[in-house]
Amino acid sequence: MRFEVRAVADDGHGNEESGDWTAQFTVWVKVRELRGGESVIADRLTGKTPAILTVRDSSETRQIVPEWRAVDVNSGAVWNVREDPREADNAGYLDFLAEKGVVT
């Protein structure tokens, strides 16, 4: 997966606004999908898929924060990072919660 962060841009009047997503790095990720949920918003059924993403512990992956997103380079699926990475049960790896099917 490719991890991305949203760039901050100047709107020309001295204010900051969200810019484009910028790729930071690409690493192997194990995705463990959890039980998803559905809700009705404005008469539309929307589905969210939470998952635990596992990455190898490195200086790059320790930079991941909830403002980032992960993009599956094969399918294009977008996962919004929901928490800072924490040590996984398996030494040398980090786990964090992410969610697919929500606005980025």
Side-chain angles (χ1 to χ4, degrees):
M1 280 203 201
R2 182 179 61 244
F3 284 86
E4 301 177 342
V5 63
R6 190 178 288 272
V8 177
D10 186 342
D11 69 354
H13 301 285
N15 302 310
E16 293 181 346
E17 63 183 10
S18 296
D20 295 330
W21 288 98
T22 305
Q24 299 301 301
F25 53 84
T26 301
V27 295
W28 170 88
V29 176
K30 176 183 177 185
V31 178
R32 265 182 309 161
E33 290 188 8
L34 305 173
R35 196 171 118 195
E38 294 179 341
S39 60
V40 177
I41 299 174
D43 295 328
R44 291 181 290 181
L45 189 62
T46 60
K48 297 183 218 175
T49 306
I52 300 296
L53 303 187
T54 302
V55 294
R56 187 175 297 276
D57 188 357
S58 72
S59 59
E60 287 181 328
T61 57
R62 287 202 173 265
Q63 297 175 38
I64 297 169
V65 292
E67 291 78 22
W68 288 27
R69 71 181 189 177
V71 179
D72 186 323
V73 294
N74 296 316
S75 70
V78 177
W79 296 87
N80 292 318
V81 177
R82 295 296 186 213
E83 66 180 8
D84 291 331
R86 62 188 180 284
E87 303 260 340
D89 293 337
N90 192 358
Y93 292 90
L94 300 171
D95 286 338
F96 57 92
L97 180 66
E99 196 171 36
K100 179 172 71 169
V102 293
V103 176
T104 59

